[in-house]
Amino acid sequence: MSKLAVIGAGLVGERHTRLAAARGVLSCLIDPVDRGALAEELGVAHHPALTPGLQDGIEAAIVATPNHTHADVAVPLLEAGIPCLIEKPIAATRADAERIVAAQKASGTPCLVGYHRRHNPITQRAKEVIASGRLGRLTVVDAKFLLVKPAGYFDEAWRRASGAGPVFINLTHDIDLLRHLVGDIAAVHAAQSHAVRKYEVEDCAAILLRFAHGALGTVTVSDATPAPFSWEFTAGENPAYPHVAGAAYAIGGTKATLTLPDLTLWHHPGAQSWWAPISKENLALEPADALAVQFNHFLDGVAGRAAPAVTGEDGLASRAAVLAIKDAAEIAPLPVPG
């Protein structure tokens, strides 16, 4: 396969573009924004829009356009039998996500949703540990997304308006990862606040999750709090963020607790008691670039060597969970009796 198009060459789209160029499979960039310099650097053509003629010459596509356009871009490609990697979230709305899933099922065309953290060796190791039973029956989950976005981040009006905010923009990765590691989410409760910046979008949120098998989870979110307690800071996955050793998640069970992404296992080697000594075990791992692992997996899927690890149905379920969180957060909280 040597005719892959990247549609949308923004921040993450450019990373996909460079991976495709390095593998020698990039044929063109498609973006209404002028990406001529990037296209020239990589020796490929740049087009402002996906035309029927261009589509006929494409063997696979990466859809990294704005979320609300994913369905309009991906559905015709899937219907034409062109495998797609669709950046997360799969779509902005449940209806659009369902359109993509329906097109994939009807055509049988491979479709991979870009939750690249699932491809990180950290995640794969954690999944193995949980599946092995070392944690016992899962009981609690604690996850954090705490950092501060600079004032200039909000210069673009859409980042201050309804539809943006850390729950929609950032938490989509964390919720998908918790679903992958812990299981389906059966119910949510949430509260949000925009008291710091007073924009339409929230700057803080607190979320309570009930997983289908009975475990409970808490998720604390803020993009107005200087802190390193997020996957972005602690995983060392993206060089755009400073790397700080530590944990953003704790997944606890009746036998042990695993923190991530530092892969630390805590358990009582003897008596299961708060009076007994507790042991700390750091799990070994060979790191890898999760985005590159995901890209290679996508190429394997295009070639028929692998089924998509993150299906359209996975993308729909994760998006539905985030939408439910946002809906719950927008319900006025009950006052505390005085």
Side-chain angles (χ1 to χ4, degrees), residues 85-335:
L85 191 168
I86 305 173
E87 256 306 322
K88 61 81 191 168
I90 186 172
T93 66
R94 184 184 183 104
D96 275 353
E98 289 173 342
R99 283 175 57 203
I100 293 171
V101 171
Q104 188 281 319
K105 285 184 175 179
S107 66
T109 306
C111 176
L112 175 69
V113 182
Y115 284 110
H116 68 270
R117 290 182 188 175
R118 290 204 192 191
H119 300 268
N120 194 311
I122 296 169
T123 303
Q124 294 169 355
R125 185 77 172 96
K127 185 76 171 175
E128 292 169 3
V129 170
I130 294 168
S132 74
R134 291 191 69 183
L135 303 189
R137 180 186 174 89
L138 297 184
T139 53
V140 293
V141 177
D142 179 56
K144 294 179 175 64
F145 173 85
L146 303 179
L147 44 68
V148 62
K149 293 173 182 171
Y153 175 88
F154 297 96
D155 288 347
E156 296 187 47
W158 71 268
R159 288 175 170 165
R160 307 190 299 270
S162 179
V167 171
F168 272 159
I169 292 177
N170 306 107
L171 200 65
T172 183
H173 265 306
D174 300 283
I175 292 299
D176 180 75
L177 210 52
L178 293 180
R179 284 191 58 256
H180 178 58
L181 293 173
V182 183
D184 286 333
I185 296 169
V188 303
H189 301 273
Q192 64 184 7
S193 170
H194 54 92
V196 176
R197 299 191 184 99
K198 298 181 170 37
Y199 296 149
E200 276 186 60
V201 296
E202 75 285 351
D203 41 54
C204 302
I207 300 154
L208 177 64
L209 307 175
R210 179 182 292 277
F211 292 89
H213 55 66
L216 298 179
T218 58
V219 183
T220 311
V221 180
S222 176
D223 63 4
T225 303
F229 307 120
S230 63
W231 186 275
E232 283 78 359
F233 271 77
T234 55
E237 194 176 69
N238 187 338
Y241 299 98
H243 183 207
V244 179
Y249 306 161
I251 301 173
T254 54
K255 294 180 181 178
T257 292
L258 179 67
T259 61
L260 298 171
D262 62 348
L263 281 174
T264 300
L265 191 71
W266 295 89
H267 64 100
H268 293 287
Q272 294 284 89
S273 168
W274 62 357
W275 290 303
I278 193 164
S279 174
K280 174 184 178 182
E281 179 184 350
N282 296 113
L283 304 181
L285 181 76
E286 186 67 33
D289 180 348
L291 208 65
V293 175
Q294 175 188 256
F295 185 80
N296 291 337
H297 173 69
F298 177 57
L299 293 186
D300 284 342
V302 173
R305 294 189 295 267
V310 189
T311 65
E313 287 91 339
D314 291 325
L316 172 58
S318 292
R319 189 57 177 169
V322 172
L323 290 169
I325 288 167
K326 190 63 176 172
D327 287 346
E330 291 177 350
I331 297 172
L334 296 175

